[in-house]
Amino acid sequence: MTNKSKSIIILLLVFSTLISAKNYKEIPWLKTAIDRSQEQLLAASEKYKAGKLNPRTFENGKINFANFKDWTCGFFPGSLWYMYELTNNVKFKKDAEFYTELLDQVQYRKDTHDVGFMLYCSYGNGFRLTGNENYKKVLINGSNSLMTRFHPEVGLIKSWDKRKEWQYPVIIDNMLNLEMLCEVSKITGENSYKKASVSHADKTLENHFREDNSCFHVVNYDSINGKVISKVTHQGFSNSSAWARGQGWALYGYTMMYRETRDPKYLNQARKVATFILNNPNLPADKVPYWDFNAPNIPDAPRDASAAAIYASALVELSSYVKNGKDYLDAAEKILISLSSPTYLAEKGENGLFILKHSVGNLPAKKEIDVPLNYADYYYLEALVRFMKAKEISIN
Ligand code: GLY
């Protein structure tokens, strides 16, 4: 082939990519989703700056904030980072830095497993997008703090302290904290963080799942010999029910651990959880679950948009690892379309300036029922970013 014909072929390829690539403005639901998210986030960021705290929820007409002790404190800065990634608007970067750096003290916390959520969504995204060396140090310190909760004889990271009813509780949510440890193994070259993550994921796989591939919320272990003492719930309807967000943590956690290890047993588990969720007779047609798949008052039970957003984000990623990935991507799209409809998407300036309505924090404790939540917004934006990348949809 002559150089001239090679150049023509390359030009044709570039041209065909350009004309096939879509802009978000051509997809009405996506345009609404992104534009509204920007408006809400910009307004929230301005309004809440003076208080120097990250917004958590809007309940009974009042904003509740998350300080550095609250497991949700990293999600608002994380949302700002995702919006910066989407739009390249430096205003989002500046605001993301401001709200991220409010969380400096989290890196030294050894009294909770949630440092992964708190730091990876905030400093983790910040480091990914800017390469800021100070953020890297925070992630390493935070991981060292988290590792103090990994006891080799049990083989798991302990979730909570000071709960009289449990010796060594591990909740399915804890799978998400492994992402920061895997990242810190990569950036430091020190394998112990990842080794602990693999041990935690393996033992969770062994003990958290039921025959039907749904999972328990809490498994309580013997702190000396690591044997299972009990399998119960904390935020679900009952010990044997399938708490909707918990199934999301499992789906997201095993998809992420497959990314980090390429171990097929994690992929297999993620697929089993996806099947449980997507084929469940109690999943409504819009694919936004009730707060628990076994809630007693279905179809009048509250929906949980946060669980739906977590499913969407995980399903987009899962779709890239399997041959029949289109089904997962289609399911994620369906969820995102539902969440971007007026039923779930806030009107401009409403909903305490959060993006999504209708999530459930902790129904058994009668807290945060049918409210916006910062983590619903975070996983919704993450899902939108992942979806646009998967479909090669641009914003500019
Ligand atoms: N990690 C706590 C929750 O999902 O509510």
Side-chain angles (χ1 to χ4, degrees):
M1 201 187 297
T2 65
N3 278 346
K4 193 173 167 200
S5 21
K6 270 193 204 151
S7 310
I8 291 172
I9 290 173
I10 290 171
L11 272 176
L12 280 174
L13 279 174
V14 170
F15 186 66
S16 66
T17 313
L18 281 178
I19 56 169
S20 66
K22 281 204 161 192
N23 187 282
Y24 87 114
K25 290 186 185 137
E26 295 166 43
I27 306 165
W29 71 264
L30 189 57
K31 179 171 169 12
T32 307
I34 306 275
D35 292 354
R36 185 70 45 76
S37 299
Q38 287 198 67
E39 291 162 354
Q40 292 293 87
L41 273 177
L42 279 174
S45 179
E46 276 317 301
K47 184 160 179 185
Y48 303 132
K49 215 169 244 171
K52 295 193 177 171
L53 283 172
N54 286 299
R56 172 182 167 128
T57 184
F58 181 62
E59 205 176 8
N60 303 322
K62 178 175 149 281
I63 296 285
N64 292 335
F65 292 94
N67 68 15
F68 78 98
K69 293 191 173 166
D70 184 318
W71 80 275
T72 72
C73 66
F75 294 116
F76 184 70
S79 294
L80 292 165
W81 283 118
Y82 273 126
M83 198 46 92
Y84 169 58
E85 180 173 12
L86 257 180
T87 62
N88 229 5
N89 177 349
V90 72
K91 169 93 179 90
F92 282 118
K93 177 171 182 265
K94 286 206 159 39
D95 288 356
E97 284 167 345
F98 174 85
Y99 284 99
T100 292
E101 290 164 24
L102 296 175
L103 308 181
D104 185 59
Q105 294 173 78
V106 175
Q107 63 189 302
Y108 305 113
R109 289 198 56 196
K110 297 184 176 142
D111 57 343
T112 172
H113 69 144
D114 283 324
V115 283
F117 277 110
M118 294 150 129
L119 294 180
Y120 201 64
C121 302
S122 53
Y123 286 90
N125 278 310
F127 177 62
R128 179 174 66 82
L129 295 170
T130 67
N132 184 328
E133 281 295 314
N134 288 331
Y135 288 9
K136 179 167 142 182
K137 280 187 208 137
V138 171
L139 293 173
I140 296 170
N141 287 339
S143 295
N144 289 335
S145 299
L146 184 54
M147 284 291 282
T148 64
R149 304 184 65 78
F150 178 78
H151 299 284
E153 65 281 8
V154 183
L156 290 144
I157 295 166
K158 188 178 181 190
S159 292
W160 297 322
D161 298 338
K162 296 185 188 143
R163 308 260 177 154
K164 273 193 252 109
E165 64 273 46
W166 301 313
Q167 256 187 53
Y168 196 107
V170 175
I171 62 174
I172 189 66
D173 325 27
N174 203 341
M175 284 297 299
L176 278 274
N177 294 310
L178 309 180
E179 194 168 10
M180 177 174 77
L181 296 180
C182 290
E183 173 65 16
V184 165
S185 259
K186 281 181 263 177
I187 59 184
T188 58
E190 167 55 56
N191 198 40
S192 53
Y193 306 99
K194 187 165 175 182
K195 222 171 134 204
S197 301
V198 167
S199 167
H200 185 101
D202 285 351
K203 211 150 177 197
T204 300
L205 202 158
E206 206 179 300
N207 295 322
H208 253 86
F209 291 91
R210 309 182 178 111
E211 280 285 294
D212 66 357
N213 299 312
S214 68
C215 66
F216 291 93
H217 185 199
V218 187
V219 176
N220 176 33
Y221 292 89
D222 182 304
S223 55
I224 309 288
N225 61 25
K227 291 212 170 108
V228 173
I229 298 174
S230 58
K231 301 186 180 191
V232 294
T233 196
H234 177 60
Q235 276 159 267
F237 166 63
S238 73
N239 291 344
S240 58
S241 74
W243 175 48
R245 195 161 53 252
Q247 313 315 303
W249 296 140
L251 176 65
Y252 194 112
Y254 282 97
T255 305
M256 178 274 295
M257 281 305 288
Y258 176 70
R259 181 213 312 146
E260 296 299 332
T261 61
R262 299 288 151 174
D263 186 331
K265 72 172 179 283
Y266 297 150
L267 181 62
N268 197 26
Q269 191 60 36
R271 300 196 70 173
K272 286 181 181 174
V273 180
T275 302
F276 174 83
I277 293 169
L278 296 174
N279 293 353
N280 198 293
N282 282 346
L283 184 70
D286 67 2
K287 299 198 191 304
V288 178
Y290 299 103
W291 71 279
D292 191 302
F293 281 95
N294 306 102
N297 53 340
I298 289 173
D300 298 321
R303 304 291 192 92
D304 183 10
S306 78
I310 296 161
Y311 300 169
S313 185
L315 287 167
V316 177
E317 178 166 18
L318 185 58
S319 76
S320 68
Y321 300 142
V322 295
K323 277 211 197 85
N324 63 348
K326 188 176 174 311
D327 291 351
Y328 295 139
L329 194 57
D330 288 350
E333 181 171 12
K334 172 88 190 158
I335 295 171
L336 288 173
I337 291 173
S338 300
L339 293 179
S340 307
S341 72
T343 307
Y344 296 98
L345 193 69
E347 288 300 323
K348 183 177 174 185
E350 301 202 331
N351 202 36
L353 301 174
F354 289 90
I355 300 167
L356 294 180
K357 302 179 275 184
H358 303 312
S359 289
V360 172
N362 188 343
L363 192 138
K366 300 190 173 57
K367 283 188 189 143
E368 300 181 330
I369 301 167
D370 195 16
V371 294
L373 289 167
N374 56 16
Y375 43 100
D377 290 2
Y378 174 85
Y379 289 103
Y380 174 64
L381 291 175
E382 182 180 79
L384 289 172
V385 170
R386 289 178 170 188
F387 178 77
M388 288 173 72
K389 283 186 188 160
K391 294 267 193 181
E392 296 180 1
I393 301 167
S394 69
I395 191 160
N396 297 311

